[in-house]
Amino acid sequence: MPVLDLLDLPAALPPIAPVVGLDLGEKTIGVAVSDGMRMVASPLKLIRKTKFTQDAEQLFSLMDDRKAVGVIIGLPINMDGTEGTRCQSSRAFARNLLRLRDLPIAFWDERMSSMAVNRMLVDEVDMTRVRRGEVVDKTAAAWILQGALERLRNLPAAKA
């Protein structure tokens, strides 16, 4: 299965089943999961990157445990709308996942997700810098996934 446009993702998924959202960092992968109705995204886990195959096995295990059927990956587009090396890395990650398992994958523009999450953790939760480092990536994954879920919920009925 090729990587899908986000708007085409619902057609590739069963009507009721969770999906996971990923925030791909240099050293970690933040993982979030939705409920079966795909209304709410929740932070799930932080995978510390080792080798791609091991990272993918951890991700697939999390997906299998929760019966998740698709993946939404945050795409770190530059503020001017261009794609840099981090976008290339995210796209390569998706292609490599598809080599291991045929599953629906789509991207969601994640511009400023980590900044927004950091601001929320400081302003609203008053979390220390050390503790923020432990939760920001999986919380950013939830932020990314929630944004994509809200976009999909606002599709006209014919498209969804």
Side-chain angles (χ1 to χ4, degrees):
M1 174 174 292
V3 173
L4 302 170
D5 181 280
L6 180 71
L7 301 183
D8 296 324
L9 185 64
L13 300 172
I16 299 175
V19 294
V20 297
L22 304 180
D23 179 41
L24 303 175
E26 290 181 25
K27 298 178 184 178
T28 61
I29 301 169
V31 183
V33 66
S34 75
D35 61 298
M37 297 299 293
R38 298 192 281 269
M39 300 294 284
V40 177
S42 300
L44 180 61
K45 183 165 176 77
L46 186 66
I47 297 173
R48 301 227 180 261
K49 285 185 174 179
T50 56
K51 294 183 178 176
F52 175 79
T53 306
Q54 293 170 342
D55 301 342
E57 286 172 4
Q58 284 188 65
L59 174 62
F60 293 148
S61 176
L62 291 169
M63 290 180 70
D64 294 344
D65 289 348
R66 284 152 185 82
K67 297 179 177 37
V69 296
V71 178
I72 297 173
I73 300 173
L75 193 62
I77 297 171
N78 294 326
M79 291 306 291
D80 65 2
T82 61
E83 293 190 11
T85 57
R86 290 189 59 229
C87 282
Q88 293 170 358
S89 177
S90 295
R91 291 187 186 282
F93 184 91
R95 285 191 304 272
N96 290 333
L97 276 183
L98 288 172
R99 288 187 183 114
L100 298 177
R101 186 181 283 189
D102 188 30
L103 73 162
I105 297 176
F107 292 107
W108 177 251
D109 182 350
E110 72 159 61
R111 275 182 271 197
M112 299 181 50
S113 62
S114 292
M115 183 176 14
V117 167
N118 268 307
R119 184 173 302 130
M120 182 262 309
L121 292 173
V122 170
D123 294 347
E124 296 178 25
V125 184
D126 195 28
M127 191 173 285
T128 66
R129 181 182 302 268
V130 171
R131 181 74 178 118
R132 274 196 322 267
E134 297 170 7
V135 300
V136 72
D137 289 333
K138 65 183 177 182
T139 305
W143 184 280
I144 290 163
L145 181 55
Q146 189 66 48
L149 294 175
E150 289 174 12
R151 174 64 180 107
L152 292 174
R153 249 194 322 277
N154 290 318
L155 289 178
K159 187 73 174 174

